[in-house]
Amino acid sequence: MTSKEVLKSMSPYKPGKQIEDVKKEYGLSRIVKLASNENPFGFSKKVKEEMSEWMSNLEIYPDGYSTELRMALAKKLDVEPDQLVFGAGSDEVIEIICNSYLYPGTNTIMATPTFPQYKHNAVIEGAEIVEVPLVNGYHDVKTMVAKINKQTKIIWLCSPNNPTGCHINQEEFDYVMSHCPSDILVVFDEAYYEYVDADDYPDTIKAIGQYENLIVLRTFSKAYGLAGLRVGYGVANEAITRALNVTRGPFNTTSLSQKAALIALQDETFLQETFKKNQENKQAFLSFLDNLGLSYDDSQTNFVFVHLPTTGDEAFEYLLSKGFIVRSGEALGRSKGIRITIGKKEDMEELQSHIREFITLKEGETH
């Protein structure tokens, strides 16, 4: 049996260090994971309270149309129900988009570094990858648009961008949409949308009514805290979502995940509290970095990419030995830095002491 030739040169996704593995490796009893941009405040208590009621009828297939969640989300976003496509996380929606629009002889344009699943899935479909380097952590949208040719099928815009946290503002969004041909799909990936507070952030959902080639991706994995249940979605005009719903699997979100997302969607209080705590803890951490003389990328998310005078790998290993799991910049395509998820106040304060120790140690080695 022979798989696609390209798969032989690719590697499966490798998640960050797992908590139990780190405990065993370093003989630690307590681990703080700040590597995957999960919500440190958990998820809505209302989801937990109603979970026991959902444990019946597991022998029955889930609603392949996600009717209840679809209707509630359509009402919240003020779109038609058929303008939505659901996936097991927004990363599955990304895969579905690549399945639907890319094939050998086409190309797709993206920033670098950015969310790696754009490239991963596009390569599997045999498309050419056109990468445009970030500028100070931000998308270089004019250069991205300039790269468009007759073979281009998709432009990926990750805003706020992972791993930098920088957003695409209204002016940049307008530039892309006004200069991009209407037969090229523009994917605006907003996995961290609920954390954004920038005044110049575009209303992308509203813009769908103006641009027939725009799809906006969002997820319940980040601010809503449901990463373990895998629910993401795309919003676009019905011509796009119809094609994607043909491609997607018929039962790709579970009964439990649909119900949990529905309850989480309705709990605005939890979302507001999450946003407030993240903002407070992030600002305190940024002040610490300023005082320490470390620079960082602008962040509209629940993580910060910190620039270091040494490799990210060194900082990663040091913090790992102290019981803190972060992500090395080298693993994310952005060297000499680490990406740190904003955690609980007490965890961030402890992390700061370890970062200070690490910087002091490295400075001592250079003298």
Side-chain angles (χ1 to χ4, degrees), residues 49-341:
E49 290 169 356
E50 300 189 28
M51 181 69 78
S52 60
E53 298 178 18
W54 310 338
M55 296 307 291
S56 59
N57 302 320
L58 293 184
E59 75 281 5
I60 298 174
Y61 282 104
D63 174 7
Y65 189 64
S66 305
T67 305
E68 285 189 280
L69 177 58
R70 181 181 295 272
M71 297 305 171
L73 191 56
K75 182 178 180 180
K76 181 180 178 66
L77 299 176
D78 193 23
V79 299
E80 295 299 319
D82 285 339
Q83 287 185 261
L84 294 165
V85 56
F86 291 95
S90 55
D91 48 356
E92 190 194 21
V93 182
I94 292 166
E95 179 182 5
I96 293 169
I97 290 171
C98 290
N99 292 162
S100 302
Y101 288 92
L102 297 178
Y103 48 87
T106 64
N107 72 53
T108 179
I109 301 170
M110 63 195 69
T112 184
T114 192
F115 187 53
Q117 292 305 103
Y118 311 146
K119 182 176 181 178
H120 181 87
N121 287 296
V123 169
I124 291 174
E125 296 305 321
E128 177 190 356
I129 311 301
V130 179
E131 296 181 295
V132 177
L134 299 173
V135 177
N136 297 322
Y138 287 87
H139 282 63
D140 181 357
V141 295
K142 291 188 177 181
T143 299
M144 293 179 76
V145 169
K147 296 287 185 179
I148 293 173
N149 60 31
K150 292 182 179 179
Q151 286 71 48
T152 304
K153 291 294 182 181
I154 303 174
I155 292 183
W156 303 90
L157 301 173
C158 186
S159 180
N161 185 52
N162 182 7
T164 63
C166 303
H167 72 291
I168 292 170
N169 65 29
Q170 182 71 59
E171 182 180 352
E172 293 166 329
F173 174 74
D174 290 340
Y175 182 88
V176 173
M177 298 312 303
S178 62
H179 287 79
C180 183
S182 60
D183 61 345
I184 295 174
L185 184 65
V186 178
V187 182
F188 207 87
D189 186 354
E190 296 183 326
Y192 300 92
Y193 171 78
E194 289 79 11
Y195 291 106
V196 173
D197 69 345
D199 294 334
D200 59 356
Y201 197 84
D203 185 342
T204 53
I205 299 295
K206 184 177 180 180
I208 291 170
Q210 181 179 355
Y211 301 108
E212 62 180 23
N213 59 328
L214 173 65
I215 182 168
V216 177
L217 307 186
R218 292 182 184 174
T219 183
F220 287 90
S221 295
K222 302 303 181 184
Y224 287 99
L226 297 179
L229 289 178
R230 315 306 302 124
V231 187
Y233 60 94
V235 192
N237 75 70
E238 292 183 30
I240 293 173
T241 54
R242 183 188 181 282
L244 300 181
N245 278 312
V246 169
T247 303
R248 74 171 176 85
F251 306 111
N252 63 328
T253 56
T254 69
S255 300
L256 293 179
S257 61
Q258 290 175 28
K259 291 179 184 295
L262 177 61
I263 299 301
L265 182 69
Q266 297 167 341
D267 191 352
E268 286 289 342
T269 299
F270 173 78
L271 204 61
Q272 292 170 5
E273 290 176 350
T274 286
F275 175 81
K276 182 181 179 181
K277 291 176 182 176
N278 177 75
Q279 287 292 90
E280 291 173 350
N281 294 350
K282 182 168 68 174
Q283 288 306 313
F285 184 58
L286 296 182
S287 295
F288 159 77
L289 295 175
D290 289 337
N291 291 334
L292 201 59
L294 293 178
S295 63
Y296 47 86
D297 291 332
D298 295 334
S299 175
Q300 288 289 319
T301 63
N302 67 333
F303 63 83
V304 176
F305 190 94
V306 183
H307 300 278
L308 298 171
T310 183
T311 68
D313 288 344
E314 288 181 86
F316 166 78
E317 291 292 345
Y318 182 85
L319 294 175
L320 197 61
S321 71
K322 303 298 181 180
F324 282 79
I325 309 175
V326 299
R327 286 302 297 270
S328 167
E330 277 75 20
L332 299 170
R334 195 162 175 78
S335 62
K336 300 192 73 173
I338 48 176
R339 190 190 67 190
I340 300 173
T341 304

Side-chain angles (χ1 to χ4, degrees), residues 346-364:
E346 58 272 22
D347 293 333
M348 295 305 294
E349 289 175 349
E350 183 181 346
L351 174 68
Q352 290 173 24
S353 68
H354 295 312
I355 292 176
R356 184 181 288 108
E357 291 168 1
F358 174 75
I359 295 299
T360 301
L361 178 66
K362 301 313 292 184
E363 288 176 344

